[in-house]
């Protein structure tokens, strides 16, 4: 028991000393919070809204559900220990952001997205690991994705889980809710051209999978 506690404690010390090392700076496409950790993102308030102007500058804007007549300020954060957290705005285009590459892969051969910019140095990668132009996952410092989990001011909360291609053990480890040794692509990213109805469709699929997994258990 005592030994296990010591290991966890020293791991936390290493993690803490890495926080704040971020080299990224704010742009119109993303906001950087080097001091933030997952716990800080989870504590952010859920803000109700009827239009974008009511949302903070780190929000993706107001996501309005006309069926239940409720809007919340949408958020999409990525966090790890070395860089803290970054909030991705609606205008962020992963294919056009060579200075902040969030997509990362287990090996250089896994990169299936040919549109992604190539990294030139470690500091281009949110994982801080660039190899042959590809950002590699750091298994000792995985990337977490935090999103507003449900629409509705009272039901909503911020849900954080592993981003795509990070090592996982269980579907619930992943923000996509799909673990096949690594987390599958998640539904919330790379869909800036999509609108609310297709997002709801993705959410419906996630709920379906959740219910299915409960039934099968
Ligand atoms: C980026 O912008 C946010 C929100 O305005 C601010 O809180 C944060 O400190 C800024 N980060 C940096 C690194 O300047
Ligand atoms: C929103 O998505 C639906 C379903 O994919 C599509 O039929 C509709 O044209 C889209 N609307 C806009 C404004 O893109």
């Amino acid at each position: 028991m005592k030994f296990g506690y010591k290991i966890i404690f020293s791991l936390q010390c290493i993690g803490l000393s890495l926080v704040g090392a971020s080299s990224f700076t704010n742009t119109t496409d993303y906001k950087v919070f080097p001091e933030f950790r997952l716990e800080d993102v989870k504590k952010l308030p859920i803000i109700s809204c009827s239009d974008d102007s009511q949302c903070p500058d780190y929000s993706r804007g107001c996501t309005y559900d006309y069926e239940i007549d409720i809007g919340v300020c949408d958020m999409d954060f990525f966090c790890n220990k070395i860089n803290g957290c970054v909030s991705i705005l609606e205008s962020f285009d992963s294919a056009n952001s060579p200075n902040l590459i969030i997509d990362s892969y287990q090996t250089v051969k896994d990169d299936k997205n040919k549109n992604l910019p190539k990294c030139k140095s470690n500091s281009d990668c949110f994982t801080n690991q660039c190899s042959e132009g590809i950002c590699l996952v750091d298994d000792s410092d995985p990337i977490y994705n935090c999103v507003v989990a449900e629409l509705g001011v009272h039901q909503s909360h911020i849900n954080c889980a592993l981003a795509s291609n990070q090592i996982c053990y269980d579907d619930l480890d992943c923000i996509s809710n799909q673990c096949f040794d690594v987390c599958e692509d998640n539904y919330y990213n790379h869909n800036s051209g999509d609108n609310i109805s297709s997002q709801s469709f993705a959410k419906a699929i996630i709920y379906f999978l959740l219910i299915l997994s409960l039934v099968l258990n």
Side-chain angles (χ1 to χ4, degrees):
M1 266 314 241
K2 260 187 182 167
F3 186 60
Y5 174 78
K6 267 185 192 161
I7 289 177
I8 289 170
F9 182 73
S10 43
L11 281 177
Q12 275 177 344
C13 289
I14 294 168
L16 281 175
S17 64
L18 289 175
V19 166
S22 176
S23 57
F24 301 111
T25 51
N26 283 346
T27 71
T28 51
D29 299 327
Y30 52 85
K31 300 286 174 218
V32 186
F33 298 84
E35 310 295 329
F36 262 37
R37 318 207 69 194
L38 274 184
E39 290 66 34
D40 300 309
V41 174
K42 286 180 189 163
K43 276 187 229 145
L44 287 174
I46 301 287
I47 300 165
S48 63
C49 56
S50 49
D51 64 68
D52 291 349
S53 67
Q54 296 165 329
C55 294
D57 61 357
Y58 57 80
S59 159
R60 293 169 64 83
C62 189
T63 305
Y64 205 83
D65 187 330
Y66 290 94
E67 273 169 39
I68 54 173
D69 211 23
I70 285 174
V72 293
C73 295
D74 199 13
M75 290 180 264
D76 192 3
F77 279 88
F78 290 85
C79 301
N80 62 10
K81 284 174 186 161
I82 192 165
N83 281 305
C85 297
V86 59
S87 162
I88 301 303
L89 305 182
E90 196 69 39
S91 58
F92 182 81
D93 176 6
S94 56
N96 201 1
S97 182
N99 300 318
L100 171 63
I101 304 171
I102 295 176
D103 298 72
S104 53
Y105 299 89
Q106 286 291 328
T107 73
V108 290
K109 293 198 175 68
D110 292 340
D111 177 16
K112 298 184 190 87
N113 185 352
K114 298 292 170 236
N115 292 326
L116 278 185
K118 301 280 175 225
C119 56
K120 294 187 183 68
S121 69
N122 286 346
S123 61
D124 294 336
C125 300
F126 195 65
T127 58
N128 202 40
Q129 294 198 4
C130 173
S131 176
E132 298 173 39
I134 309 294
C135 293
L136 296 180
V137 171
D138 180 352
D139 292 326
S140 67
D141 185 14
I143 301 181
Y144 285 83
N145 187 198
C146 300
V147 297
V148 179
E150 268 172 66
L151 222 50
V153 174
H154 298 296
Q155 302 97 305
S156 290
H157 62 281
I158 296 175
N159 187 27
C160 299
L162 291 167
S164 42
N165 301 321
Q166 318 295 306
I167 286 181
C168 57
Y169 302 97
D170 190 283
D171 284 346
L172 291 175
D173 294 343
C174 304
I175 197 77
S176 64
N177 203 34
Q178 290 195 59
C179 172
F180 301 96
D181 300 325
V182 298
C183 293
E184 287 288 287
D185 260 347
N186 81 60
Y187 296 110
Y188 297 91
N189 298 326
H190 316 301
N191 58 356
S192 49
D194 290 4
N195 57 29
I196 289 179
S197 64
S198 52
Q199 276 180 27
S200 321
F201 182 66
K203 280 179 188 171
I205 292 175
I206 291 173
Y207 289 134
F208 174 76
L209 290 171
L210 258 177
I211 290 167
L212 193 68
S213 69
L214 287 177
V215 169
L216 290 178
N217 279 335

